[in-house]
Amino acid sequence: MNYVYETRMEVRDYECDIEGIVNNANYLHYIEHTRHLFLRSLGFSFAEAHAKGHDAVVARMSMQFKTPLRCDDEMVSRLALEKEGLRYVFYQDIFRASDNKLAFRSKVELVCLVDGRLANSDLYDEAFKDFFQS
């Protein structure tokens, strides 16, 4: 995988279930936070894009749970990006930092609504241009 961004996070105790492992829903928070940090690293603002009528929304997501994370585990969340037609496809994997073991794998497809209609977004295309092959 050709990752273009990564960040580290720590599992907090309230994210774990009675079995002591991260509840599955929390992985959605982890990968969304990673996408937001990635955009921020590019100088991109969701609020400014929204004010201009450009909203990215999740259209489809697939997830695979591989190795459970536990309280106080440190994780590395990595992201790769492609564009397929109108869709921005994020491949997001989470690894346990202590042994680099794959904990979670996902594919997240986003589309943009421009002034409320499905369309290409010049704002997002410009932000991501360095990550798409010509």
Side-chain angles (χ1 to χ4, degrees):
M1 186 73 60
N2 184 24
Y3 299 111
V4 297
Y5 183 80
E6 76 174 43
T7 189
R8 288 181 173 262
M9 292 180 260
E10 186 175 292
V11 174
R12 295 159 292 214
D13 59 346
Y14 62 84
E15 296 169 333
C16 297
D17 59 23
I18 198 164
E19 297 170 334
I21 61 174
V22 171
N23 179 278
N24 61 71
N26 287 302
Y27 290 91
L28 300 177
H29 295 284
Y30 299 153
I31 62 174
E32 182 172 21
H33 186 60
T34 300
R35 288 192 307 275
H36 287 205
L37 291 174
F38 170 63
L39 284 168
R40 189 184 310 160
S41 77
L42 302 175
F44 190 90
S45 165
F46 277 118
E48 289 176 17
H50 174 73
K52 294 176 181 176
H54 293 246
D55 295 301
V57 296
V58 173
R60 180 177 292 141
M61 183 180 301
S62 65
M63 301 172 285
Q64 298 175 357
F65 300 90
K66 299 294 193 174
T67 301
L69 293 173
R70 300 183 179 281
C71 186
D72 297 328
D73 275 349
E74 187 178 10
M75 70 187 95
V76 180
S77 181
R78 296 182 175 124
L79 173 153
L81 174 62
E82 293 179 350
K83 185 160 187 201
E84 297 175 1
L86 293 176
R87 296 173 293 142
Y88 300 99
V89 181
F90 290 84
Y91 297 92
Q92 294 186 251
D93 297 334
I94 296 175
F95 298 84
R96 187 170 52 203
S98 62
D99 59 4
N100 205 36
K101 191 160 189 177
L102 180 64
F104 178 79
R105 172 158 280 160
S106 67
K107 178 180 176 182
V108 182
E109 299 178 19
L110 278 71
V111 294
C112 285
L113 303 176
V114 178
D115 297 324
R117 299 184 66 162
L118 182 64
N120 271 311
S121 168
D122 58 339
L123 296 178
Y124 280 87
D125 283 347
E126 177 63 24
F128 298 150
K129 70 179 183 214
D130 292 338
F131 305 102
F132 302 139
Q133 296 188 16
S134 301

